[in-house]
Structure formats: C-alpha cells, structure tokens
Amino acid sequence: MTEQISPAKGLHGVITVPGDKSISHRYAMLTSIAEGESQIHNYSTGADCHSTLACMRSLGVEHEFKDVDGRSVLFVRGKGIHGLSASKDQLDAGNSGSTIRMLSGILAAQPFTTRIAGDSSLAKRPMRRVMTPLGEMGARIEAAEGQFPPLTIHGTPLHGLDYRLPVASAQVKSCVLLAGLYAEGETIVREPVITRDHTEIALRELGADVTIEPRVARIRGGAQLTGKMLVVPGDLSSAAFFLVAALTSRNSDLIITNVGLNPTRTALLDVLRGMGASIKLLHIEQVNGEIIGNLQVKTSRIKGGVIEGATTAAVIDEVPILAILGALSEEGLIVRDAAELRVKETDRIDAIAHNLRRMGVTVHTTETGIEIPGRQSFQATEIDSFGDHRIAMAFAIAALSADGPCTIRESEAASVSFPEFYATIRQIVQ
Ligand code: S3P
C-alpha cells in the first residue's frame, strides 16, 4: 500500500496513541502464565502484540477482547506457571523481535520442544544474544546458521545464572528474567546501561520475587503469579512521532493523553527539552507500577545536539524521528554509539540516510552513527519504508514539512505498532 501525505499548516487537537508495545507484550506473556483471569485495558492494537497473543494461544492460553463501557478490553485466562501446553504448529512471531526473544525465556523452561519463526525481517535478526544466556542456564536451542530464527527450543529444567549483558538490551534482560522465574535458585542480570524495566515492574506486580536496583535485576525462581486487572499506558515511542510533528509544524499546539512516562523511557523528553522543545506534563498518576501522564507540545525553535552513550540506548527506538527533527534544527543532530540500529526491523542507519537523501537532505553515516547538518528542508518525493514501521512513520512526519505531497511506499508497515497512525495525522492537520 501507499499513503500520500501533504504539507501541514499546523497541528491542533487532543489525541491518544496505542497502548505501549513493550508493556503489552509483557502483560500478554505474564498473564498467560499467571493463575486465574486477567483483564488488560488499552492493550496495543499493533500487529506485533497480536503476534504475542497468537503465540500464547498456540501454547494453550485462551484470550478474548470484550467491549467494556465502549472500550475493548483483553481478557486472558491464565494457565499458571506450569500450565502451558506444547503447540502443534510452529509459533509465528511475525515482525516482532520482542516476542521471539522474550518468549524464548519462557519456552526454554517448558517440558516440551517449541519451534518459533517470524517474517523475512525477523529471520535476519540476531538471536545468539538470547541463546547464550539460556544455554548457560541449561537450555538447548537450535537456530538457522546457529544464530537466526527459526529457533527450536528444547525446554528443560533451568538453573539460576548471574549474567552480565554484553549489549544494552531490555529484550535480552527480560528473556533471562523470564527464564529465571522458572529456574532453580536466583537469577541476576547486570546491564551496562539502564534499559526499560517494564518486565521487572510487571513481574513484581503479578507477585514474583524480584528485586530492582539500578542496572541490576534479581529474580528467585519458583514463585506463582496471580492474574489481575492491568492498564497499559499509551506508547511514548509512538507519541514521539507527534511530538516532533508538533514541534516542527508552524503554530501547533497538541495534547497527547495517557502516555507512559516510565523514567527508563523518558530520556526522549529530556533530549527534546534540552534542544529547546516546549513540552509540558499535565497530569501524572501511577498505575500498576507504571507512570502515566498527558503531554502538551507546542511549535518550538529546536537547537539540535549530540546523542551518545547511555542516552542513545535510552532513545534507540526514537532515532528515526529524531533524525527528522535534526535536519530541521538549527545546529543539526549527531547520533553516536548506535550500532544496535543496524539490527532493528531493518538497518535503520541506512534506511534513514536513504530516505533523507531522497528528500534532498545531506547526511553522513558511519558504522555506528549518523550525522545530519541542521537548517535543511525536505523536497517532496517517494519514501521507502523498507517494511519498517518506525521508518514509515518518521518519514510521514517529515512529509508534513516537505515542499509538496510525498508518497510513503509500504506504508502499511506502520500497523506493526500503530495501525491508527495515518488516521491520527488526518485528525490533527489543519
Ligand atoms: C524492547 C527493547 C528494545 C526496543 C524494542 C522493544 C522491549 O530492543 O528497541 O523496540 O520491549 O524490550 P532491544 O532490547 O533489542 O534493545
């Protein structure tokens, strides 16, 4: 599919974004292995989170969406920690790295073998990062060429592990903690920089024996989880597209409601404010251990800057949209220490550079970073999403500031995390 996006004169209104993708995956997996029924409000509408639900159904866990007071609520009938059953068919993680990597931690501990695969993008993503710690816990996993999906996971009793993550990855941390839930003794994960801690919070919320310290998470195996009512905050990484859209479109004033503001995710707001963005937090509350608030964003003069080290890891999903902001900023944007971008849904360094150049923007790339001089403008053109949701959405936002209508090719990629994305643009453009 293609989508045509015309330049906007300004953005106004009040919008919501889908439930957080990371939290939705975790709630789907954990309520499946909890005792009793859970109700999950605001579960992500994105295809990735539906891949997780489909995998859990194949493992014997029933779920259904029911209308409660005009809202779609997900009901999951948990099977208990040892209640999953072998799947007749191979599991399909679709485009979702989070699904295959985190679920591997649970599957490694089951008394059966599971094969899990995904789409052509997932088939190229590195899995050794989860195979290594799970192997050290006792699991046996086979992979294509020793490192790519499909994975064949031979479940077995696991033992605890003290593991130092070689890469900053919340998916790998979560995988090891989920395996640790089943393992004998204590499992400790030490991370080089802080990554999102939704797994630790959700595990604690459902009754696991977890300790959270900066850069160290510990879990004791053997606890039972108990199902409950959970609310998923809106996804800040999805809100990021509209934050940048409002910052860069003239005379904009936008409110985004019920956005997740977990401190391990809000480096984006610090980066934007540090560059001069006018973003206000309007109403903050805590639900299920996660922070939720409303954001008000207005057109701002953006200075630009350098993103590196731990900050790069903390805004890794937002780099595509920050690149758009960088080109329109006064001093440009330099992103360093971003090797992980090369192994996301596509090679995002190349995808960003390719599309910026198509729009007439100067950009320099290295193996681990990207440099975009400021004060540039976007020429109307055709954009390639490369089947990557964040590339499709970032360049749709760039198109709002272009000198004419742009076409996004494979625009449907957006539905991996944000099926309502183009409708939301139409709702707020002037
Ligand atoms: C995620 C962690 C990050 C992020 C991804 C979601 C998660 O990946 O890029 O979109 O839900 O834990 P890595 O753990 O590979 O850095």
Side-chain angles (χ1 to χ4, degrees):
M1 270 159 60
T2 61
E3 189 81 32
Q4 224 195 32
I5 309 280
S6 298
K9 295 198 193 74
L11 305 178
H12 290 269
V14 180
I15 60 169
T16 56
V17 289
D20 187 86
K21 183 160 85 68
S22 294
I23 296 175
S24 295
H25 285 303
R26 287 151 171 88
Y27 284 176
M29 289 179 203
L30 290 176
T31 57
S32 292
I33 56 169
E35 296 283 346
E37 188 174 74
S38 294
Q39 283 185 33
I40 308 179
H41 292 251
N42 200 35
Y43 191 79
S44 168
T45 49
D48 267 11
C49 298
H50 286 261
S51 294
T52 294
L53 283 177
C55 289
M56 300 322 296
R57 189 187 290 285
S58 300
L59 294 164
V61 183
E62 287 173 29
H63 68 262
E64 63 181 317
F65 285 91
K66 286 194 218 163
D67 190 295
V68 178
D69 299 331
R71 299 219 171 107
S72 174
V73 176
L74 171 62
F75 288 74
V76 179
R77 271 186 280 288
K79 288 280 190 180
I81 200 100
H82 297 296
L84 297 181
S85 44
S87 171
K88 288 198 295 310
D89 305 311
Q90 163 174 294
L91 302 188
D92 182 4
N95 191 243
S96 176
S98 301
T99 306
I100 192 168
R101 293 201 181 114
M102 294 198 290
L103 194 52
S104 294
I106 294 177
L107 295 173
Q110 301 305 313
F112 50 78
T113 294
T114 309
R115 197 172 141 90
I116 180 164
D119 69 7
S120 57
S121 152
L122 196 68
K124 292 189 218 123
R125 299 190 62 189
M127 294 297 138
R128 220 170 252 158
R129 52 182 66 193
V130 292
M131 294 168 68
T132 301
L134 291 177
E136 288 178 26
M137 297 175 86
R140 195 160 63 80
I141 303 178
E142 288 146 28
E145 297 167 45
Q147 59 173 328
F148 299 116
L151 300 179
T152 303
I153 303 175
H154 303 282
T156 187
L158 302 176
H159 48 80
L161 177 68
D162 185 342
Y163 191 63
R164 193 172 289 278
L165 292 181
V167 283
S169 167
Q171 292 175 355
V172 180
K173 172 177 65 173
S174 303
C175 167
V176 177
L177 290 174
L178 292 174
L181 178 65
Y182 287 88
E184 201 186 316
E186 189 181 40
T187 295
I188 306 173
V189 186
R190 301 173 198 274
E191 46 186 2
V193 296
I194 292 175
T195 67
R196 62 194 75 191
D197 62 359
H198 306 302
T199 304
E200 298 89 307
I201 292 173
L203 278 164
R204 194 176 54 190
E205 195 66 15
L206 296 185
D209 184 358
V210 189
T211 321
I212 314 175
E213 289 163 31
R215 296 194 291 115
V216 185
R218 295 166 206 265
I219 184 166
R220 278 214 162 267
Q224 289 294 334
L225 304 182
T226 310
K228 67 186 293 188
M229 167 130 90
L230 296 161
V231 178
V232 182
D235 197 323
L236 180 58
S237 300
S238 297
F241 299 102
F242 290 98
L243 292 175
V244 170
L247 290 171
T248 54
S249 300
R250 280 170 292 149
N251 305 319
S252 295
D253 186 348
L254 194 64
I255 292 178
I256 313 176
T257 59
N258 294 324
V259 181
L261 297 172
N262 176 314
T264 62
R265 297 285 293 281
T266 50
L268 169 72
L269 301 180
D270 301 334
V271 165
L272 292 174
R273 283 171 161 163
M275 292 180 179
S278 163
I279 301 175
K280 274 195 204 145
L281 305 185
L282 294 179
H283 172 74
I284 296 191
E285 58 181 329
Q286 197 171 5
V287 184
N288 304 128
E290 295 283 352
I291 300 168
I292 303 188
N294 295 347
L295 298 175
Q296 180 177 31
V297 54
K298 294 186 181 171
T299 310
S300 307
R301 185 186 283 252
I302 298 294
K303 194 159 156 276
V306 179
I307 298 175
E308 59 190 346
T311 305
T312 303
V315 299
I316 198 76
D317 288 344
E318 289 83 63
V319 172
I321 188 63
L322 287 170
I324 303 306
L325 184 68
L328 298 174
S329 70
E330 292 177 0
E331 295 171 11
L333 179 74
I334 297 175
V335 181
R336 301 196 183 109
D337 309 314
E340 279 294 300
L341 286 180
R342 297 235 178 244
V343 290
K344 290 292 178 189
E345 285 81 334
T346 187
D347 178 334
R348 285 187 176 156
I349 292 181
D350 280 357
I352 292 167
H354 171 94
N355 284 315
L356 283 177
R357 289 185 183 123
R358 286 189 66 91
M359 298 188 94
V361 168
T362 301
V363 47
H364 310 286
T365 64
T366 64
E367 208 27 53
T368 60
I370 190 156
E371 205 174 315
I372 305 154
R375 294 184 191 279
Q376 303 199 64
S377 51
F378 297 131
Q379 292 164 15
T381 186
E382 295 201 345
I383 301 294
D384 292 312
S385 79
F386 297 98
D388 182 326
H389 55 133
R390 298 199 202 279
I391 298 297
M393 293 188 279
F395 282 88
I397 298 302
L400 295 174
S401 301
D403 61 3
C406 294
T407 302
I408 315 290
R409 295 191 198 126
E410 285 185 80
S411 56
E412 71 282 3
S415 60
V416 157
S417 58
F418 199 164
E420 310 81 355
F421 175 74
Y422 301 105
T424 308
I425 291 186
R426 286 190 284 274
Q427 186 192 325
I428 55 174
V429 287
Q430 303 297 298

